[in-house]
Amino acid sequence: MKKTFLALLLAVPVALSAQYKSKVWCPDNGDGTFTNPVINADYSDPDVCVGASGEDFYLTASSFNCIPGLPILHSKDLVNWEIVGHAIKKLLPEDRYAVAQHGNGVWAPSIRYNEYNSTYYIYWGDPDLGVFVVTAKDPAGEWTEPKCVIPGKGMIDTTPLWDEDGRCYLVNGWANSRCQFNSVLTVREMSADGMKAIGDPVIVFDGNGTNDRTAEGPKFYKRDGWYWIMCPAGGVPVGHELAMRSKSPFGPYESKTVLARGTTDVNGPHQGGWIHLKSGEDWFLHFQDKEAYGRVVWLEPVTWKDNWPVMGEKQGVKAYGKTEKYSGQPVLTYKKPNVGKTYPINNPVEDDEFNTPVLGKQWQWHANYDQTFGMPTSFGCFRVFCHRQSEGFKNLWEAGNLLLQKTPADNFTATTKLTVTAKDEQQYGGLIVMGMDYSSIVLRRVGDKFELQQITCKQADKGKAEEIKVLATLSPTSVDKVDYQPSIHCQLYMRLKVEYIGGKTKGGENKHEARVTFAYSKDGKKFTPCGEPFTMRQGKWIGAKIGICAAEPAGKKVRGWVDVDWFHIDK
């Protein structure tokens, strides 16, 4: 793994342009068809736009408090996606997001290309602070710093629409938790550049007291003289997708259910982005809430009947016991979109050799990045420094320095080779699956040895304490010979295995539960199972995530760290 720094720099362009095929989930069947989900990872509240060329597609998704935020994914065919960047390096105000703010931050963004000024825009609502926007000329490049264009509480799920006359309108939903009302959508006029509101909000839809309750996540479009709002309703777990149309951006709108579960097991198929191709085809990307796994991305064909979009297949499916004339249901396998040619298989990257001086795009922190969280190195590993626990420490819900990525499939194995360096007592690091419940296996310094421990916490979000179980005692693999801040080091291979176990709720709904088991190895060949099985649980508005943890007690000790040599995903 060790390379010279010059070699690392030369390797960067190659690493960024390489195609990647996942060993655990690839939606492209290689025969002109695809199998849903097209992204089997937690890209919650996805939105998508057609790029300036008309041949590129860009997707973004909610990132809440995770940084870098607003992931940017690129595709040529809506099936094969790669992570090409992030639109946010830090959330504002910086002091608020310097610590973990679970569930806050970026809610349900929209991405749009404004042909009038050749600029890409992403809008989102921070439910506590207001409506924010970033812009870029190249979605895979640098984006501007977040700008608050409408301050205030409760505004979420914002989408702009630039009309043919250059005027700009913004639709949004409302968060009951912040403003004590919801299920309504509002439209207001913005300045032509989209940078400030020049009109007051107008309620254009009200789902209160109906099956269209919790109407939110609206997306704004115009087609053949009609203004369209596409939005989910009925709630995240079991809801449906609505299409609304009007001859005015301010309504009144008539609405129809255009996507529902039907006879499938795909719960709550809704909230996403509509795409029109050069070939004339229409498609819709949306999410399915898979609880511990997060909200994964599905792709549906769109046909038209009586100037209403029918999403998915089997037009006229039932929702809430009633046949909906214009509603389809999700497809499992279907022919790929007609984009004029066939493109190579490419999936969001999961593995990391840590051989470049930049952090891989699959990784995120739980707060605005601080240099003391960790750094790339010039010697073929990534260093994660120990989180210095607060005086009243309960659990790692407080930690911003967790280096995590999304779960990539229902069933998979994650293996890492790492070295824990401890300069003082109780410093530790290891492999974690993180959510509102979490579990990890870590190496913790105790005296002149290391204890292999399983640390588990149930209801971490409620401030519950950790449970620690000692699994083995290991001798250091090396010890510093100097007498200045000497360290002891332990190299180990760690592994976690995620297995889908399913289940049903009391109401008969599918439960997307998963069992996690751990193992370790001294040589990377023979793995010893260890610890107790753990039931994976989602985080706050996000799926569970996997990666590296490192922490130490409060105080003024010289900080310990973990050097991560590589991280691999396999079956």
Side-chain angles (χ1 to χ4, degrees):
M1 297 294 176
K2 312 306 180 202
K3 300 179 182 292
T4 67
F5 191 70
L6 177 60
L8 294 176
L9 291 173
L10 293 174
V12 172
V14 175
L16 295 181
S17 63
Q19 290 168 355
Y20 179 85
K21 183 175 181 180
S22 172
K23 300 182 183 71
V24 294
W25 186 259
C26 179
D28 192 326
N29 298 321
D31 60 0
T33 68
F34 69 92
T35 297
N36 270 316
V38 290
I39 308 176
N40 202 3
D42 181 35
Y43 287 91
S44 177
D45 314 318
D47 191 39
V48 63
C49 75
V50 182
S53 68
E55 298 177 350
D56 296 280
F57 308 103
Y58 295 98
L59 181 147
T60 192
S62 295
S63 51
F64 301 100
N65 60 293
C66 300
I67 293 296
L70 284 174
I72 306 296
L73 282 75
H74 170 257
S75 178
K76 284 286 192 178
D77 60 7
L78 299 176
V79 173
N80 292 283
W81 292 91
E82 65 172 328
I83 310 169
V84 295
H86 291 81
I88 297 177
K89 293 181 179 178
K90 61 184 178 182
L91 284 164
L92 299 178
E94 289 188 56
D95 57 347
R96 170 180 168 85
Y97 290 103
V99 296
Q101 290 278 347
H102 298 272
N104 296 328
V106 177
W107 284 29
S110 61
I111 183 169
R112 291 292 181 267
Y113 176 68
N114 182 356
E115 62 184 18
Y116 298 104
N117 61 6
S118 304
T119 302
Y120 292 87
Y121 289 71
I122 298 179
Y123 285 81
W124 72 94
D126 182 315
D128 297 305
L129 302 176
V131 177
F132 285 79
V133 66
V134 290
T135 65
K137 293 297 184 180
D138 174 8
E142 292 293 315
W143 290 76
T144 58
E145 191 171 89
K147 175 181 174 63
C148 184
V149 294
I150 310 175
K153 278 184 175 290
M155 294 170 288
I156 56 171
D157 309 354
T158 51
T159 305
L161 172 68
W162 280 272
D163 215 338
E164 288 93 342
D165 59 6
R167 295 171 73 178
C168 181
Y169 305 95
L170 190 80
V171 66
N172 67 274
W174 296 84
N176 183 68
S177 59
R178 303 317 201 270
C179 60
Q180 289 70 57
F181 65 86
N182 65 354
S183 300
V184 297
L185 306 179
T186 59
V187 172
R188 75 189 79 201
E189 186 168 1
M190 304 288 288
S191 57
D193 63 0
M195 289 300 169
K196 66 178 180 179
I198 60 173
D200 293 326
V202 176
I203 295 176
V204 298
F205 183 80
D206 184 357
N208 282 284
T210 73
N211 287 329
D212 296 329
R213 63 176 178 80
T214 325
E216 57 187 0
K219 299 295 184 286
F220 220 167
Y221 307 95
K222 195 172 185 183
R223 177 184 186 268
D224 296 338
W226 289 87
Y227 295 88
W228 289 90
I229 296 175
M230 309 289 187
C231 91
V236 169
V238 295
H240 55 280
E241 181 73 11
L242 291 177
M244 310 175 193
R245 71 183 185 188
S246 174
K247 282 294 186 177
S248 165
F250 294 105
Y253 285 84
E254 54 180 327
S255 66
K256 303 289 184 185
T257 297
V258 295
L259 178 66
R261 172 188 291 188
T263 59
T264 74
D265 290 330
V266 185
N267 60 300
H270 57 54
Q271 189 155 344
W274 165 30
I275 287 291
H276 181 71
L277 305 185
K278 282 184 174 181
S279 62
E281 292 182 352
D282 290 285
W283 293 82
F284 183 68
L285 281 154
H286 66 93
F287 77 72
Q288 176 197 13
D289 185 4
K290 292 178 67 175
E291 298 165 310
Y293 294 98
R295 300 173 184 180
V296 303
V297 182
W298 285 59
L299 177 64
E300 309 294 347
V302 178
T303 55
W304 290 85
K305 180 180 176 62
D306 305 329
N307 196 34
W308 288 100
V310 179
M311 298 177 176
E313 62 179 356
K314 296 183 180 178
Q315 170 185 310
V317 304
K318 284 188 176 181
Y320 304 102
K322 174 187 173 184
T323 298
E324 296 287 350
K325 182 178 179 182
Y326 301 101
S327 178
Q329 66 183 28
V331 300
L332 180 58
T333 298
Y334 204 80
K335 65 178 181 180
K336 291 169 62 178
N338 177 11
V339 292
K341 61 188 297 185
T342 300
Y343 289 94
I345 287 174
N346 203 9
N347 306 137
V349 68
E350 302 148 356
D351 290 356
D352 204 329
E353 303 299 328
F354 298 109
N355 276 347
T356 64
V358 291
L359 184 61
K361 290 180 172 58
Q362 69 269 44
W363 299 104
Q364 292 176 301
W365 307 98
H366 261 353
N368 277 346
Y369 172 68
D370 183 281
Q371 294 171 103
T372 60
F373 286 0
M375 306 175 191
T377 72
S378 62
F379 34 89
C381 67
F382 190 91
R383 178 163 296 178
V384 181
F385 290 105
C386 289
H387 164 68
R388 190 147 289 166
Q389 297 165 346
S390 64
E391 292 290 346
F393 176 80
K394 296 292 186 182
N395 60 60
L396 289 176
W397 197 249
E398 73 175 30
N401 76 323
L402 301 174
L403 181 64
L404 305 172
Q405 63 169 284
K406 306 172 191 298
T407 59
D410 289 359
N411 299 284
F412 66 92
T413 299
T415 307
T416 185
K417 179 185 178 184
L418 52 75
T419 301
V420 175
T421 291
K423 288 183 174 291
D424 215 321
E425 285 285 315
Q426 300 298 310
Q427 295 175 338
Y428 72 84
L431 182 63
I432 189 169
V433 54
M434 182 70 191
M436 290 187 285
D437 297 347
Y438 66 81
S439 192
S440 62
I441 54 170
V442 304
L443 286 167
R444 184 193 297 265
R445 179 173 177 172
V446 179
D448 60 357
K449 294 185 180 296
F450 285 93
E451 286 185 354
L452 179 67
Q453 300 178 346
Q454 181 177 24
I455 303 177
T456 300
C457 184
K458 301 289 183 68
Q459 295 185 306
D461 58 315
K462 304 298 185 184
K464 301 298 184 181
E466 297 177 330
E467 296 178 0
I468 300 175
K469 181 178 181 180
V470 177
L471 307 176
T473 299
L474 303 176
S475 297
T477 51
S478 63
V479 178
D480 288 353
K481 303 300 183 183
V482 299
D483 60 2
Y484 177 73
Q485 299 177 356
S487 304
I488 62 173
H489 314 267
C490 191
Q491 183 181 97
L492 203 65
Y493 299 81
M494 294 182 173
R495 173 173 289 172
L496 65 81
K497 186 176 183 64
V498 173
E499 298 175 283
Y500 182 81
I501 56 177
K504 294 284 185 181
T505 66
K506 291 181 180 179
E509 295 293 330
N510 286 333
K511 289 176 69 176
H512 301 281
E513 289 194 346
R515 179 185 295 110
V516 182
T517 53
F518 294 96
Y520 73 98
S521 172
K522 294 182 179 180
D523 60 8
K525 298 176 182 178
K526 181 181 179 180
F527 280 81
T528 302
C530 64
E532 297 294 327
F534 170 75
T535 300
M536 191 167 75
R537 188 180 175 205
Q538 66 267 37
K540 183 68 171 178
W541 305 126
I542 64 175
K545 301 179 82 170
I546 55 172
I548 306 300
C549 63
E552 62 186 40
K556 297 183 179 180
K557 304 177 178 67
V558 178
R559 200 183 297 262
W561 63 80
V562 178
D563 281 343
V564 191
D565 195 343
W566 48 256
F567 191 97
H568 294 163
I569 299 291
D570 212 328
K571 292 181 178 179

